[in-house]
Amino acid sequence: GMHAAVYRPGNLGGDSATGAYNPSDANTLLLAACARLGLAPAVEGWRFESTPVDFAAAAVVGLAATDASYGRAYHLADGNPVAAEEVLAELAAAGWEAKRVPKEEWLAALRTRAGELGSLAVTAQALASDDEVWSPVRFDTQGFDAATKELGLARPPLDAALIGRYLKRMQACGLV
């Protein structure tokens, strides 16, 4: 029979080396909205689940080249999403302070500044109604984590350096 494996991506973030990102990515848009507003919603349990796209691509290529992956399913997600507080602290360290306010106040600010923010405001408001954005589904990534370790691949952490690269790219593209 045909050999197959299943690769289920979570949220794919930008490239860890260049910062290039998907302009429609929920995390990217929420982070950009927070940076532009100088405000962030205070949502209990809010976490950023994101896997850099270059890491995910290297993992799929590496796993597809091994016979051991046949018949397996891999969750290409971060099994330990980063707390929004940590991401927002890194955002502030990169020069983009975002004061925590109640979600309703954040949404009101998006509406008030919709003309200035354009489609970013509309998209962020739409995302805000999706509960999964604030509390992402947790994936069992043990198999994926073990397999990528065996391949010698290390997941780039969502830290100040990576967030800085994402923000530089967002600035260059006019998103923030």
Side-chain angles (χ1 to χ4, degrees):
M2 186 167 133
H3 295 282
V6 177
Y7 304 98
R8 295 184 184 122
N11 290 317
L12 293 176
D15 183 279
S16 65
T18 67
Y21 61 91
N22 172 357
S24 299
D25 173 64
N27 284 336
T28 299
L29 293 170
L30 288 172
L31 197 58
C34 292
R36 296 269 305 269
L37 283 173
L39 302 172
V43 176
E44 189 176 330
W46 181 20
R47 301 185 79 74
F48 278 82
E49 188 282 306
S50 183
T51 299
V53 68
D54 54 314
F55 171 73
V60 170
V61 169
L63 291 169
T66 65
D67 289 341
S69 69
Y70 296 143
R72 304 216 33 212
Y74 296 99
H75 295 283
L76 282 68
D78 189 341
N80 187 26
V82 177
E85 292 295 334
E86 291 178 43
V87 175
L88 293 170
E90 300 298 353
L91 184 69
W96 297 88
E97 187 70 41
K99 177 184 167 195
R100 298 303 293 265
V101 296
K103 182 176 158 187
E104 296 73 26
E105 186 178 326
W106 182 75
L107 288 168
L110 282 172
R111 287 188 292 275
T112 300
R113 293 177 55 191
E116 170 194 339
L117 299 174
S119 62
L120 181 60
V122 174
T123 305
Q125 286 180 69
L127 289 169
S129 66
D130 184 354
D131 288 339
E132 191 175 306
V133 168
W134 309 114
S135 297
V137 174
R138 296 278 182 130
F139 296 95
D140 178 359
T141 61
Q142 291 178 6
F144 176 68
D145 293 342
T148 54
K149 185 176 181 180
E150 214 170 279
L151 291 171
L153 298 174
R155 174 188 301 277
L158 189 58
D159 59 9
L162 183 54
I163 291 170
R165 282 190 291 280
Y166 289 166
L167 286 168
K168 277 185 183 176
R169 181 59 74 123
M170 286 183 216
Q171 281 181 299
C173 295
L175 191 57
V176 295

